[in-house]
Amino acid sequence: MHFKARAVAQLADAGVQSNLKKAKGKFVDKRRDAIAEFLAQGGDFEALREAGMELRNRVLADLDLWLEKFEVNATARGAKVLWARDGAEACRLIVDIAKRHGVKKATKSKSMLSEEAGLNQALEAAGIQPVETDLGEYILQINDNEPPSHIIAPVVHKSKEEIADLFARVHKKPRLTDIGEMTREAREVLRSHFLSADMGISGGNFLVAETGSVALVTNEGNGRMVTTVPKVHVVITGIEKVIPTLEDLSLLLRLLIRSATGQPISNYVSLLTGMKGEGDLDGPENMYFVLVDNGRSDLLASEFNDMLRCIRCGACMNHCPVYQTIGGHAYGWVYPGPMGSVLTPLYMGMENALDLPHAATLCNQCGVVCPVKIPLPDLLRTLREKQVEKKLRPLSERLALKAWAWVATRPALYALGTKFAVRYLNWLAGGGKSIAVLGAAPEWTAGRDFPAPQGRTFREMYARRKRS
Amino acid sequence: MNDSRDLILGRIRERLGRSPANVAPAQTAMDVALAAKSAGPRPRTDADLVAAFRARSEALASTVDQVACLADVPRAVAAYLAEHKLPARAVCVPDLAGLDWRGAGVEVEARGAIDHDLVGITGCFRAIAETGTLMLCTGRATPATVSLLPETHIAVVPATAIVDGMEEAWSAARSEFGQMPRAVNFISGPSRTGDIEQTIVLGAHGPYRVHVVIAHGQ
Ligand code: SF4
């Protein structure tokens, strides 16, 4: 993965840049307003975050038992619970299910795990047509399976003009430019898929152990469609998504939705348990859960355990100055932004994502907004340390750090070094306030000037003061 | 089920340091949590549940009407349909088929909805004042499609069904059904999407319009 090259390309793409700028304020403002409204309603959002964190920690500490409890209760209602060690196994299980039920077409509501697993490709290879039904995911699918650039708003990088061109080309209809009319056109295309699919595949926002249910949150209603109409419903989700009770679900919904879209609640929250009962007029006849590990169990009780609390709200990327500048595609895998910079190296191998832990200013905007208080900057810093420990950093960098440590632990030498450095930098600035080209590290001054030091070093000034 | 189950659970147990000695206390703590069903921090409860529910429903872009009793619902629905130039024809959950629809000039069919139905009429199990949300539970007389496929969803809400928050609704569902119905759907206004340029459009895959009729008496 070549993060730098991708980031540079995204920075140079005027379209992506203007679309990112348009979206940024909206997400941030909506979340802020939703929290203000919650406070006005007498709610305490900080207490809610604290409780959310505590709840998620409690489940993770006994994850084995909660998963077993979920399995018992889901099975009691007739669902089949399957387990997959990785994405490939999840794909195999789902293709098998589809074949067993003679499925030709599967409608899908948004699932990040299915992106992790590459499920669409696996279904296609088996001759089963996957149809993404979240409007954003649908747009990406008809655009040659382009990857999403945000976990909540997958086409945040695209303008309506680009989407209008795409619809005209793929739907073979006159080009529309009104967003309402474009949505209506997609609705009509997707409606026929909803009604003709034999299988519905959904992700799972939460698995409720108490009842053996999956909870789905959507605004469009596609989550309801894929779990109501087809005769088979498959839930694909991560093993960390289990929570104890329905009350816990309510707590997490209050956090998740405000953090994600800035709504007090999404248009549709569905709790699905088992299949169509006797005499029911609708609902699937078969329900499967595919619980996927794909690296999650390795994080348990490790220094990255906190990351497993993540409820996939996207607030960290919405508030990240780096994400807002380079967009989601630069991150190179399913998860972008701060949470992606932590998850990608952990799930894909540290050596495969060397730049990501460094693609952060550690400003802690993400840590402040995360609804389950994941200390993202700390985790990024830990990943940086691991890279050094594992000798994954370039030799020159490691040597430079060693040299710096050697000097910094020798006060006299350090004082001498900084004294020379200040004079050198002042000389570079030519008496001015800033340095246009930093000789030793020209990259630093490629897009900005380097401020010149003002006066002498702190130590020199301190020493002079003491004397006078 | 499959080998992976044991491998994954085994790996989790190993990471968590699960041992015969610590499994029993953890089980007990789990049972306590499942029995306690304690709620997290919640906003203040509203003094006037009906007014709060109404205001928050309207904030979600639903429209709200109020009638004195259930028997007045068909006439209120007929008026709404006429006002919006919708046909006086609807699919209705079997649960509500007993009202005098014909007397109000509305032709209803009690069944699950199909693609071409324009108007769907449902009741609700509970309604939630905290967010202006309808809670619909599926069952033989309450198919899920009626609130989903038609472009217009009309929901009849007895004032007595309005509760503070989701927590009260969960307790009601537990005591009334014993086990959760196949689908519990919380509906908060018309279906919407903001995927294109974060511009909100109503009527993504579900209804374009949600109209709520609150019935104060029986
Ligand atoms: S890390 Fe926190 S803020 Fe980011 S997606 Fe996960 S829960 Fe949301």
Side-chain angles (χ1 to χ4, degrees):
Chain A
M1 297 192 190
H2 300 289
F3 171 79
K4 276 190 191 163
R6 278 194 312 262
V8 168
Q10 298 290 314
L11 279 169
D13 188 323
V16 168
Q17 288 298 316
S18 99
N19 297 333
L20 281 172
K21 283 208 183 69
K22 264 190 254 169
K24 178 185 184 213
K26 290 191 187 172
F27 279 122
V28 171
D29 294 352
K30 278 187 186 164
R31 176 186 172 278
R32 191 198 52 217
D33 295 348
I35 291 171
E37 204 186 302
F38 187 65
L39 296 182
Q41 238 175 296
D44 181 344
F45 201 71
E46 281 312 299
L48 203 58
R49 286 177 74 221
E50 192 66 35
M53 171 178 87
E54 188 274 330
L55 164 66
R56 295 291 295 138
N57 280 342
R58 197 150 46 80
V59 177
L60 293 172
D62 290 315
L63 187 62
D64 52 340
L65 302 178
W66 286 113
L67 282 168
E68 284 171 327
K69 180 61 88 183
F70 169 79
E71 185 183 38
V72 166
N73 287 332
T75 311
R77 291 294 298 270
K80 294 187 185 65
V81 180
L82 306 173
W83 304 70
R85 265 165 296 168
D86 53 25
E89 188 173 12
C91 290
R92 271 201 306 282
L93 289 170
I94 296 175
V95 167
D96 282 352
I97 296 169
K99 287 194 172 148
R100 198 171 324 135
H101 293 285
V103 171
K104 302 216 164 48
K105 186 195 284 181
T107 40
K108 290 181 68 203
S109 80
K110 207 153 86 72
S111 150
M112 293 312 292
L113 218 147
S114 94
E115 304 274 346
E116 260 183 61
L119 179 60
N120 286 359
Q121 291 84 322
L123 288 169
E124 265 163 25
I128 299 148
Q129 183 193 358
V131 181
E132 294 288 352
T133 63
D134 171 85
L135 180 60
E137 294 281 347
Y138 170 73
I139 291 167
L140 295 174
Q141 188 182 29
I142 61 172
N143 193 32
D144 281 333
N145 295 310
E146 189 186 339
S149 70
H150 188 289
I151 62 171
I152 300 293
V155 288
V156 66
H157 60 286
K158 278 202 179 333
S159 68
K160 104 180 172 195
E161 302 302 325
E162 292 170 77
I163 299 166
D165 291 341
L166 177 69
F167 276 11
R169 194 173 77 233
V170 175
H171 294 161
K172 302 197 170 51
K173 293 220 171 113
R175 186 176 186 276
L176 300 170
T177 49
D178 175 76
I179 295 179
E181 287 172 10
M182 289 160 69
T183 304
R184 175 141 208 146
E185 185 175 293
R187 171 189 169 111
E188 275 155 19
V189 173
L190 286 167
R191 188 51 87 90
S192 68
H193 287 302
F194 281 128
L195 299 175
S196 60
D198 328 276
M199 181 158 109
I201 301 173
S202 74
N205 291 89
F206 300 104
L207 301 172
V208 183
E210 173 197 351
T211 52
S213 324
V214 60
L216 290 182
V217 179
T218 75
N219 275 323
E220 299 182 1
N222 58 325
R224 290 193 59 193
M225 287 283 188
V226 307
T227 60
T228 303
V229 188
K231 62 179 195 267
V232 185
H233 174 203
V234 179
V235 180
I236 172 172
T237 195
I239 52 170
E240 85 283 18
K241 289 293 183 77
V242 66
I243 58 170
T245 64
L246 296 170
E247 281 70 14
D248 296 327
L249 173 64
S250 305
L251 186 165
L252 289 168
L253 289 173
R254 288 192 183 97
L255 273 175
L256 166 70
I257 302 168
R258 288 186 176 85
S259 303
T261 52
Q263 293 166 283
I265 187 154
S266 297
N267 286 84
Y268 300 104
V269 173
S270 299
L271 183 83
L272 304 161
T273 317
M275 304 86 82
K276 181 174 179 172
E278 227 188 272
D280 278 359
L281 298 173
D282 46 37
E285 288 152 26
N286 299 276
M287 188 186 201
Y288 295 88
F289 286 93
V290 178
L291 307 184
V292 190
D293 183 342
N294 208 29
R296 287 158 175 77
S297 58
D298 289 337
L299 306 190
L300 268 180
S302 77
E303 57 267 73
F304 299 106
N305 187 66
D306 289 343
M307 197 59 223
L308 291 173
R309 290 203 296 269
C310 177
I311 54 174
R312 306 285 191 264
C313 72
C316 53
M317 56 201 77
N318 293 337
H319 291 77
C320 174
V322 177
Y323 175 93
Q324 292 305 333
T325 310
I326 59 177
H329 283 161
Y331 292 79
W333 194 51
V334 184
Y335 300 109
M339 54 90 83
S341 293
V342 176
L343 283 178
T344 305
L346 293 176
Y347 289 173
M348 301 300 281
M350 272 184 213
E351 61 288 353
N352 293 319
L354 282 179
D355 288 328
L356 291 187
H358 298 268
T361 61
L362 304 185
C363 70
N364 198 29
Q365 273 291 304
C366 50
V368 170
V369 296
C370 176
V372 285
K373 301 183 107 168
I374 299 175
L376 291 154
D378 292 348
L379 298 180
L380 290 168
R381 208 175 293 117
T382 308
L383 279 167
R384 293 179 186 185
E385 284 164 20
K386 294 255 152 191
Q387 288 187 354
V388 175
E389 271 168 36
K390 295 190 168 196
K391 302 204 170 18
L392 288 170
R393 300 308 304 166
L395 183 65
S396 56
E397 187 183 303
R398 280 185 285 136
L399 286 179
L401 280 175
K402 276 221 174 88
W404 187 83
W406 193 79
V407 175
T409 47
R410 284 164 180 78
L413 199 59
Y414 185 81
L416 190 71
T418 48
K419 203 167 154 181
F420 277 117
V422 162
R423 282 163 180 77
Y424 170 66
L425 290 173
N426 271 325
W427 175 75
L428 273 185
K433 282 213 160 90
S434 56
I435 301 163
V437 183
L438 202 57
E443 273 184 334
W444 274 82
T445 44
R448 62 194 161 179
D449 287 345
F450 189 88
Q454 303 297 306
R456 301 285 178 218
T457 70
F458 174 75
R459 283 159 161 263
E460 284 177 82
M461 295 200 291
Y462 187 73
R464 190 169 310 145
R465 251 217 177 154
K466 238 172 140 184
R467 255 182 265 126
S468 61
Chain B
M1 208 42 92
N2 41 0
D3 289 349
S4 299
R5 175 187 188 278
D6 296 338
L7 285 167
I8 295 169
L9 284 173
R11 175 88 185 121
I12 295 174
R13 291 191 194 107
E14 180 190 318
R15 295 284 331 165
L16 295 177
R18 181 66 68 213
S19 70
N22 66 25
V23 70
Q27 287 276 9
T28 312
M30 187 165 89
D31 293 339
V32 168
L34 285 171
K37 306 185 193 334
S38 40
R42 296 178 56 178
R44 196 184 318 114
T45 55
D46 297 288
D48 183 345
L49 289 182
V50 176
F53 171 74
R54 175 176 192 147
R56 300 214 177 93
S57 297
E58 285 169 347
L60 298 167
S62 296
T63 49
V64 181
D65 193 0
Q66 305 202 51
V67 296
C69 63
L70 222 45
D72 293 340
V73 167
R75 252 179 298 130
V77 169
Y80 173 84
L81 294 176
E83 187 194 333
H84 289 82
K85 302 197 170 44
L86 290 163
R89 199 174 336 110
V91 52
C92 160
V93 292
D95 228 12
L96 287 177
L99 295 177
D100 184 15
W101 297 104
R102 187 164 304 162
V106 184
E107 195 186 311
V108 304
E109 283 179 49
R111 54 172 168 79
I114 53 169
D115 188 27
H116 304 297
D117 291 319
L118 287 177
V119 180
I121 304 175
T122 72
C124 76
F125 174 70
R126 289 292 183 275
I128 291 162
E130 182 188 329
T131 47
T133 299
L134 301 162
M135 178 197 197
L136 273 60
C137 297
T138 59
R140 288 179 201 188
T142 50
T145 42
V146 183
S147 61
L148 183 61
L149 297 179
E151 293 188 359
T152 302
H153 170 205
I154 299 176
V156 181
V157 178
T160 50
I162 303 176
V163 295
D164 276 328
M166 252 187 200
E167 284 81 353
E168 285 72 26
W170 294 132
S171 333
R174 283 190 192 105
S175 59
E176 202 142 318
F177 303 117
Q179 61 175 19
M180 282 300 131
R182 181 194 72 79
V184 176
N185 288 306
F186 292 93
I187 301 175
S188 306
S191 131
R192 69 187 66 198
T193 179
D195 272 347
I196 304 179
E197 295 194 346
Q198 278 56 61
T199 303
I200 302 296
V201 176
L202 297 184
H205 294 306
Y208 286 80
R209 284 170 293 273
V210 173
H211 181 62
V212 177
V213 183
I214 302 175
H216 283 270
Q218 276 307 298

